[in-house]
Amino acid sequence: MILETFINGIEVLDKTEIKEPTVIGGIIALVVFVLLVIVWLKIDDESLFCGFVSVFVALLVFFAIQKPTGEYKYKVTIDDTVSLTEFTEKYEITDQEGKIYTIRLKESE
């Protein structure tokens, strides 16, 4: 496990593991979707609601079956004393909400 060290002046508010969808998750989601559509067609219900439910359940399955990447994203605040050059050498900003930045550590070369 890598111990993250941050530049002085960066306050970590939240740490979230980055996950990515798997191929098997996509295949299972597709199978679930097709099976749900077949079931609803068999009961003669062609409503739009059934289609939405099928898509929703398939998406739930797809996103539930994910594998961890071992990388993390952090929500942080950055003090004015932090050097922009030093910061951009170590971190990548992926999002910003006001004064809260979402960052991830850059890959070591």
Side-chain angles (χ1 to χ4, degrees):
M1 180 175 168
I2 299 171
L3 180 62
E4 300 92 0
T5 55
F6 290 91
I7 299 171
N8 287 335
I10 295 178
E11 180 182 353
V12 178
L13 305 173
D14 185 42
K15 175 181 175 181
T16 307
E17 187 169 24
I18 299 171
K19 296 182 180 182
E20 61 186 23
T22 62
V23 173
I24 192 74
I27 293 169
I28 292 171
L30 182 61
V31 168
V32 167
F33 175 73
V34 169
L35 290 175
L36 286 173
V37 169
I38 290 170
V39 166
W40 271 305
L41 289 176
K42 291 277 187 199
I43 59 174
D44 295 329
D45 187 359
E46 297 179 20
S47 72
L48 188 59
F49 174 74
C50 292
F52 282 130
V53 170
S54 298
V55 170
F56 180 73
V57 171
L59 287 173
L60 278 177
V61 169
F62 180 69
F63 287 110
I65 302 175
Q66 295 186 351
K67 66 178 181 180
T69 61
E71 296 179 27
Y72 294 88
K73 61 183 178 181
Y74 305 89
K75 290 201 180 272
V76 300
T77 57
I78 304 170
D79 193 291
D80 291 336
T81 61
V82 175
S83 162
L84 182 60
T85 305
E86 185 180 3
F87 180 84
T88 56
E89 286 176 0
K90 292 186 174 193
Y91 312 106
E92 172 187 349
I93 298 174
T94 59
D95 193 23
Q96 180 182 358
E97 299 172 28
K99 293 186 177 188
I100 299 175
Y101 295 86
T102 303
I103 64 169
R104 61 191 294 176
L105 296 171
K106 285 188 175 180
E107 296 292 320
S108 300
E109 296 177 14

